[in-house]
Amino acid sequence: MELNVLSLITQVAVLILLLGALHQPMGRYLAATFTSRKHLAVERGLYKLSGIDSAADQHWKVYLRSLLAFSIVSILVVLGGQMLQGHLPFNQGMGAVDPWVAMNTAVSFVTNTNWQTYVPESTLGFGVQMLLLAVQNFLSAAVGLAVVVALIRGLVRAETHNLGNFWVDLTRGTLRVLLPLSILGAVVLIVTGVIQNWGGTDIHTLVTGAQQTVPGGPVASQEAIKLLGTNGGGYFNANSAHPFENPTAFSSLFEVFLILLIPFSLPAMYGRMVGDKRQGYTVLTVMVAFWLGSTALMTWAVAAFAGQGTGVGEGFEQRFGIAPSTLFATATTLTSTGAVNVAHDSLPPLAGGLAMLNMMLGEIAPGGVGSGLYGLLVLAIVAVFIGGLMVGRTPEFLGKKIGSAQMKLVALYILVTPTLVLLGTAITVSIPYLSSNAPAEGPHGFSEILYAFTSAANNNGSAFGGITSSGPGLATMLALAMLLGRFLPIALVLALAGSLAKQRKVPDTSGTLATHGPLFATLLGGVSLLVAALTYFPALALGPAAEGLIK
Amino acid sequence: MNAYGRQLLTAFRFLLCATLLLGLAYPVLVFGLGQAVAPAQANGSIITVAGKPAGSSLLAQPVTGDKFFYPRPSAVDWNPETSSASNLGPNQPALVKSIAENRAEVAKREDVAPTAVPIDAVTAGGSGLDPDISPAYAALQVPRVAKGNGLSPAAVRQLVSANTSNGLNAFLGQPSVNTTTLNTALLQARVAH
């Protein structure tokens, strides 16, 4: 397979034009969604039925407690529902899911990871897919939105402990943003060929004479939110490589658009909410620069491998070829999506390494729905801190002093994911019972393990699929990585938001480091790269880099 | 009940309501829209031969013998009740071996030199259900298929080009020949012949 450079450039240009046209209107809509005082009728009904006091303004601890209560209940319901599948409606005759797999899956969907240790076709009926998994696709994404909105409120508000109302934010993110976009997205996907029905078709005599069962299911409805919510859990095992999830090169481009739409619109929301659009543009610039750079590198790494060694073909769908595959692989790993239209395990070594590096950056370019922007804002505080050290002043961010209390939270935030990734990988490679689940020889086996923990701790969900994670050992370790990788950073971000909200605003002076413009964008990009590079390069050297050097 | 208990109860009630809306009403609505807007696609792009369903134009079908165009190798034997890639790493000996074996097999089947076999003919796709092959692999199969069906190579080549993607999808992706629709056309041409 060969790269069509013109096709790649055209597709990137189309994405830039579309997202460029939409990010400000979307940002305005998002900001209005989370600042409006009015409730919709359906929202009022939902609050009443759930016993929610929508007027309550929550202390950051109450906000966090609500979020955790919701997530715990969600995990238990998704877990219980899978264990009882045999007794639930729409199960297609499928029974209880293996407890380890069910546990891992419940954690995976509630944490917005959507790591798939199960084979959907033979494990899950329509009921579990629609009533449990697709519901979490919406809600876990809305949780991410809620957290970034709370952080922005922490920056905007002064002399208060309160960050808003978690339930209201969760409801609005779901009903006003994700649901309408998903309906539109699903219809477009159906037109391209994605299925939406309630049963497969048994074919007694195929054209070629054999027999086949053409699968069915509510795929388009799940596909749309899987991408818009940066979830990534495929209706089918092959995910977006499956012809029924991603039928054409056009649908593939549309899916990349759906992945990027909300994350690239959040900076505009942020700019509006803090009352300074330049702040949004600066953050957006850093995101776009990483996205373009990474797409170019990924494409080069794949195209350069064509005609060498095993070449470029294994794991690639013929209707896509190189450009749609590298575009998708980059978008999915730079966000927390993890859907795949090409088998990442079979990517050329350096391309597989780049997919990992994208996640290791912290999924900030543009990152998951909500999680990408709060990740980058935490890095912006690091950049402000480093800038403050250079000029010898107490660092400030949007009129809030960044003192030792804030920096402790930020430092912990930055340490969480690398600790989970490196510790999880180290433990797994040193225990043969665990490492035997990645049977590939040489550095590739290590890459499979490193990829798994990178994906789990960053809540991505894509995999080097050669690894088997359904046994008790890896299912538990990866579930822990997903849980801690999701909720520790969220707790730290909300604590940070609380500590910022408490402060009074200090006015800008001539000595204040500006957090907009090219200088700060460069500083922010540099800090992001440096934090990831220093932490992960040794591990990457043992895996994909070593593999790339073997001829 | 304490604050924690109350939070958990609220969460449960909220999740229940959300499930009715997002887990039930939403997919049913999308189903309705799909049936209204594009029922053929929503129901699986089923192709019919002599009035009977004969497969999906989006899925590969297993082929044996000399009468049909072969799709790419598959990690799941072209069985759509599951789907998967081989997930073999680019330097894995198992992948090197399978590519070599596939190459020898295709070269023998089509009676060409192993070096003439294109990459898509020897590698499995990402889903195992990929119905598409490269125009080069299709061209390789034309003489055998023409002979197997008693048709002229020119007639078969015409069918190939009628089932080759063009326009937008060929530009965004790469030109591809859909073996499932091509084999259907071939079947019908043979009946007409």
Side-chain angles (χ1 to χ4, degrees):
Chain A
M1 293 178 190
E2 275 167 27
L3 170 67
N4 180 346
V5 179
L6 184 64
S7 164
L8 178 78
I9 292 174
T10 308
Q11 297 187 59
V12 170
V14 166
L15 286 170
I16 290 176
L17 282 175
L18 273 177
L19 295 165
L22 287 174
H23 79 115
Q24 283 296 346
M26 276 284 295
R28 195 183 319 134
Y29 180 70
L30 283 159
T33 296
F34 292 107
T35 50
S36 158
R37 293 179 184 281
K38 292 205 180 111
H39 302 294
L40 303 176
V42 54
E43 293 169 350
R44 278 196 299 270
L46 192 59
Y47 300 145
K48 200 166 176 197
L49 286 172
S50 321
I52 289 165
D53 173 14
S54 59
D57 198 3
Q58 295 175 324
H59 187 281
W60 74 264
K61 284 184 182 161
V62 183
Y63 199 100
L64 175 61
R65 202 190 299 145
S66 307
L67 187 155
L68 291 177
F70 175 69
S71 302
I72 290 167
V73 167
S74 292
I75 289 173
L76 292 177
V77 167
V78 178
L79 172 65
Q82 292 178 82
M83 308 280 285
L84 298 172
Q85 181 174 229
H87 306 284
L88 294 176
F90 321 123
N91 61 17
Q92 267 77 64
M94 288 186 243
V97 178
D98 171 81
W100 297 104
V101 171
M103 179 275 299
N104 186 285
T105 306
V107 168
S108 164
F109 275 74
V110 173
T111 55
N112 198 252
T113 312
N114 314 72
W115 173 269
Q116 295 183 277
T117 196
Y118 57 92
V119 177
E121 287 95 331
S122 54
T123 318
L124 305 179
F126 301 163
V128 169
Q129 295 261 23
M130 290 191 317
L131 299 169
L132 302 176
L133 302 190
V135 171
Q136 289 306 321
N137 280 355
F138 281 99
L139 297 173
S140 66
V143 165
L145 274 178
V147 172
V148 77
V149 167
L151 174 61
I152 295 171
R153 288 197 191 114
L155 287 163
V156 174
R157 294 180 176 187
E159 298 174 83
T160 173
H161 288 284
N162 300 336
L163 296 177
N165 187 308
F166 169 71
W167 300 108
V168 171
D169 292 339
L170 181 68
T171 306
R172 289 186 180 181
T174 306
L175 296 186
R176 297 192 195 184
V177 181
L178 296 168
L179 187 57
L181 288 175
S182 296
I183 294 170
L184 289 176
V187 171
V188 175
L189 286 169
I190 290 175
V191 172
T192 68
V194 177
I195 60 170
Q196 179 82 7
N197 58 47
W198 308 113
T201 312
D202 285 326
I203 309 286
H204 297 295
T205 315
L206 290 169
V207 172
T208 59
Q211 284 192 342
Q212 208 173 57
T213 299
V214 173
V219 178
S221 54
Q222 188 143 334
E223 191 71 17
I225 184 59
K226 159 190 132 179
L227 302 159
L228 280 164
T230 59
N231 296 283
Y235 193 93
F236 298 107
N237 190 44
N239 211 301
S240 284
H242 196 294
F244 278 175
E245 287 199 29
N246 197 357
T248 63
F250 171 77
S251 68
S252 189
L253 179 62
F254 182 67
E255 293 192 359
V256 172
F257 166 74
L258 291 181
I259 289 174
L260 298 175
L261 177 62
I262 297 176
F264 267 138
S265 299
L266 286 172
M269 174 192 86
Y270 161 65
R272 278 170 193 278
M273 287 180 76
V274 300
D276 180 0
K277 280 196 190 174
R278 294 172 306 179
Q279 302 292 335
Y281 275 112
T282 304
V283 171
L284 181 66
T285 308
V286 176
M287 289 178 169
V288 172
F290 276 122
W291 171 59
L292 288 177
S294 186
T295 302
L297 274 175
M298 174 77 82
T299 309
W300 166 78
V302 172
F305 202 72
Q308 292 189 42
T310 50
V312 176
E314 190 73 16
F316 285 76
E317 293 279 286
Q318 168 67 29
R319 65 188 177 284
F320 301 145
I322 293 181
S325 302
T326 56
L327 207 54
F328 202 111
T330 306
T332 199
T333 48
L334 277 174
T335 60
S336 74
T337 310
V340 294
N341 76 349
V342 55
H344 284 198
D345 209 344
S346 302
L347 285 173
L350 294 182
L354 268 167
M356 285 190 235
L357 183 61
N358 285 342
M359 294 185 276
M360 289 163 174
L361 268 172
E363 294 171 354
I364 48 165
V369 169
S371 57
L373 182 57
Y374 68 67
L376 194 53
L377 290 179
V378 167
L379 285 165
I381 292 179
V382 178
V384 160
F385 178 73
I386 290 172
L389 290 181
M390 288 185 206
V391 295
R393 272 182 55 110
T394 309
E396 289 158 17
F397 187 55
L398 300 177
K400 297 296 173 81
K401 281 200 168 5
I402 304 302
S404 69
Q406 287 76 30
M407 281 316 292
K408 273 180 199 155
L409 295 168
V410 167
L412 280 171
Y413 179 101
I414 286 174
L415 286 173
V416 169
T417 322
T419 309
L420 293 171
V421 172
L422 297 176
L423 210 60
T425 306
I427 292 172
T428 303
V429 293
S430 43
I431 300 176
Y433 164 72
L434 295 172
S435 59
S436 62
N437 290 301
E441 298 86 345
H444 196 69
F446 178 81
S447 293
E448 288 183 336
I449 295 168
L450 180 64
Y451 196 108
F453 280 95
T454 304
S455 173
N458 282 292
N459 301 136
N460 185 274
S462 64
F464 272 8
I467 198 167
T468 305
S469 62
S470 52
L474 274 187
T476 309
M477 285 184 59
L478 290 169
L480 270 176
M482 292 189 266
L483 271 180
L484 298 174
R486 174 73 165 175
F487 294 112
L488 281 181
I490 282 181
L492 292 164
V493 166
L494 289 177
L496 178 68
S499 85
L500 293 169
K502 204 165 61 183
Q503 295 179 31
R504 77 165 61 106
K505 286 237 174 199
V506 288
D508 276 6
T509 64
S510 60
T512 308
L513 177 74
T515 52
H516 59 82
L519 184 65
F520 186 74
T522 312
L523 183 63
L524 176 53
V527 164
S528 311
L529 206 56
L530 209 65
V531 167
L534 292 180
T535 317
Y536 291 110
F537 272 15
L540 283 173
L542 292 173
E547 213 183 320
L549 294 173
I550 297 174
K551 283 282 180 254
Chain B
M1 206 188 310
N2 64 16
Y4 290 96
R6 236 186 354 258
Q7 291 280 19
L8 292 174
L9 190 66
T10 302
F12 185 73
R13 286 163 66 180
F14 180 89
L15 184 58
L16 214 60
C17 298
T19 301
L20 290 176
L21 200 63
L22 309 169
L24 211 55
Y26 162 66
V28 170
L29 172 71
V30 171
F31 170 74
L33 290 171
Q35 295 302 319
V37 174
Q41 291 94 314
N43 295 329
S45 305
I46 302 293
I47 44 176
T48 53
V49 172
K52 289 194 182 124
S56 165
S57 65
L58 295 175
L59 302 179
Q61 303 190 353
V63 170
T64 50
D66 279 336
K67 291 198 162 77
F68 291 111
F69 283 86
Y70 281 72
R72 298 176 62 193
S74 162
V76 295
D77 289 332
W78 308 276
N79 177 5
E81 285 174 88
T82 181
S83 61
S84 183
S86 71
N87 287 312
L88 292 170
N91 292 324
Q92 294 300 291
L95 180 59
V96 175
K97 184 162 163 265
S98 92
I99 287 179
E101 286 169 0
N102 290 337
R103 191 178 296 280
E105 191 188 316
V106 173
K108 183 161 168 258
R109 189 180 72 214
E110 309 299 342
D111 195 21
V112 294
T115 48
V117 178
I119 186 84
D120 63 296
V122 298
T123 52
S127 64
L129 306 173
D130 187 357
D132 293 309
I133 57 174
S134 65
Y137 186 29
L140 212 63
Q141 302 190 57
V142 166
R144 172 183 56 78
V145 173
K147 205 170 147 203
N149 288 288
L151 296 166
S152 74
V156 175
R157 263 193 292 274
Q158 204 169 12
L159 292 177
V160 168
S161 94
N163 287 281
T164 304
S165 67
N166 52 35
L168 187 64
N169 279 316
F171 174 68
L172 296 177
Q174 52 186 356
S176 305
V177 183
N178 185 320
T179 56
T180 299
T181 57
L182 172 58
N183 285 335
T184 310
L186 206 54
L187 193 69
Q188 280 152 352
R190 196 167 68 206
V191 172
H193 189 58

